[in-house]
Amino acid sequence: MLNIAVVHEWMAGSGYTGSERVVEQILEIYPHADLYATVDFLDEHERAFLRGREVQTSFIQNLPFAKKLYKHYLPLAPLAVEQYDLSEYDIVISSNHAVAKGVLVGPDQLHVSYVHSPMRYAWDLQHQYLRESGLDKGIKGWLAKRMLHRMRIWDVRTANGVDRFVANSQFIARRIMKVYRRESTVIYPPVDVDGFELYEEKEDFYLAASRLVPYKRIDLIAEAFRQMPDRRLVIIGDGPEMKKVSSVSGPNVEILGYQPFQVLRDHMQRAKAFVFAAVEDFGIMPVEAQACGTPVIAFGRGGALETVQDLSNDQPTGLFFDVQSVDSLVDAVRRFEQNQSRLIPASVRDHALKFGAQRFRREFADLVTREMESFGRAALHAEANSLA
């Protein structure tokens, strides 16, 4: 039996997001794999997806106040992942959006890295990240920029230790090429489409749901609907942008704040459309909405371009607006209503089923098998040449 290690960034924070869903499915494929993460602060409920599996952590786990401040130890994270002793493993699989791919591996070990994104805050989104964090000026800003500069150097160097990059979308594949100059294979992340049943009787409201943080642009959605007072919008989610979103909302916008999964799903099923204004690497929620038979009105950038079929398709599942602006979104809502009869809930759901967990497991397992076979042939060839 092959020895396999799965390396994740950290088990903390929100606990079960898109990257954790990927790890969950990888562990379904390889149930005997060992799991590594810089920290593990998941509570009993959050760690249910690990099914009792032990997480091997780094020295950051024991640093002062690490449970709350683990992200503040990011400058130490490259050193932390380099301390994992993975020398006994045949295959190393990293789940990477920051530092996981930087583990040390040898020439006889296959390293497959599933990349949710190269470090956004260190590369093309650095200026946005610093500005939103209040770190774009002063001595703290200078220190943050210096730290991110060093992280970029380390990030590029450690790309050399990866044998095969896997991207979660074509959008991220382009980012991998831009940052690392490496080709990658696209395998879309697993979406729990079975947890979102088809509901064909749509009601007269639109839905936006997300954590209320700046890049999600929920404020833009709220402001656009304020200019359409005859249309109702429901917003589900909470976060630091709550005050801003409330201030730009009109009386036709209902903000429910954080809601449990059952309430979110119920609104997704009943909404006439799901409105999505962010630039996401993949974007799970638009797929979940489509699994309910609910079409999507999305900003036409990032992963949404790969998960939503627009009106040019024979079986459209939504449409796009081209500019992240109020006027562009208002126009998209009007175009949606003009073409709503073409957006058939059963067809919308059928499209979403392409992103299910079973498809992910099959594609990922096939890739690792192919890479291992190719890797073995290359090793044997190299050994033969050395003996010649």
Side-chain angles (χ1 to χ4, degrees), residues 11 23 27 35 40 42 46-53 55:
M11 296 290 178
V23 169
L27 294 176
L35 179 60
D40 176 16
L42 299 180
E46 292 171 331
R47 68 190 310 104
F49 75 97
L50 295 177
R51 294 173 175 81
R53 187 183 303 270
V55 180

Side-chain angles (χ1 to χ4, degrees), residues 117-129 152 171 175 178-179 279 281 301:
S117 176
M119 283 185 282
R120 305 173 189 87
Y121 40 82
W123 292 101
D124 52 312
L125 299 183
Q126 173 188 288
H127 302 293
Q128 176 184 332
Y129 165 77
R152 282 191 291 274
F171 180 62
R175 189 174 273 168
K178 178 73 71 174
V179 172
V279 180
D281 306 327
R301 279 191 61 193

Side-chain angles (χ1 to χ4, degrees), residues 287-342:
V287 178
E288 293 173 339
Q290 290 173 87
C292 299
T294 301
V296 176
I297 301 171
F299 178 45
R301 279 191 61 193
L305 289 172
E306 301 169 53
T307 61
V308 179
Q309 296 183 156
D310 70 6
L311 296 173
S312 65
N313 195 280
D314 290 339
Q315 293 185 320
T317 66
L319 55 82
F320 302 111
F321 56 101
D322 298 328
V323 181
Q324 242 177 356
S325 71
V326 168
D327 290 344
S328 186
L329 177 52
V330 168
D331 176 69
V333 171
R334 290 173 178 156
R335 284 188 290 116
F336 165 78
E337 293 180 350
Q338 291 167 0
N339 293 275
Q340 192 171 358
S341 61
R342 294 185 57 201

Side-chain angles (χ1 to χ4, degrees), residues 272-286:
K272 65 194 304 182
F274 183 80
V275 187
F276 189 75
V279 180
E280 286 282 15
D281 306 327
F282 173 74
I284 288 177
M285 275 196 170

Side-chain angles (χ1 to χ4, degrees), residues 225-374:
F225 275 84
R226 187 176 66 179
Q227 295 194 15
M228 298 182 286
D230 56 334
R231 295 170 176 88
R232 180 180 167 223
L233 172 70
V234 174
I235 296 175
I236 294 178
D238 200 354
E241 290 276 285
M242 174 63 83
K243 185 175 181 180
K244 181 178 181 181
V245 171
S246 299
S247 69
V248 299
S249 297
N252 61 320
V253 177
E254 182 180 6
I255 304 174
L256 300 183
Y258 170 80
Q259 295 295 323
F261 170 74
Q262 292 79 2
V263 175
L264 171 63
R265 180 178 57 188
D266 174 65
H267 281 78
M268 271 191 175
Q269 290 173 322
R270 294 187 291 112
K272 65 194 304 182
F274 183 80
V275 187
F276 189 75
V279 180
E280 286 282 15
D281 306 327
F282 173 74
I284 288 177
M285 275 196 170
V287 178
E288 293 173 339
Q290 290 173 87
C292 299
T294 301
V296 176
I297 301 171
F299 178 45
R301 279 191 61 193
L305 289 172
E306 301 169 53
T307 61
V308 179
Q309 296 183 156
D310 70 6
L311 296 173
S312 65
N313 195 280
D314 290 339
Q315 293 185 320
T317 66
L319 55 82
F320 302 111
F321 56 101
D322 298 328
V323 181
Q324 242 177 356
S325 71
V326 168
D327 290 344
S328 186
L329 177 52
V330 168
D331 176 69
V333 171
R334 290 173 178 156
R335 284 188 290 116
F336 165 78
E337 293 180 350
Q338 291 167 0
N339 293 275
Q340 192 171 358
S341 61
R342 294 185 57 201
L343 298 157
I344 302 168
S347 296
V348 173
R349 175 174 171 79
D350 284 345
H351 173 66
L353 296 179
K354 300 174 183 177
F355 300 97
Q358 185 175 357
R359 181 270 323 162
F360 172 85
R361 292 194 300 269
R362 181 183 68 253
E363 293 182 2
F364 193 82
D366 287 348
L367 177 137
V368 172
T369 298
R370 290 194 307 271
E371 290 298 319
M372 196 63 191
E373 290 173 350
S374 175

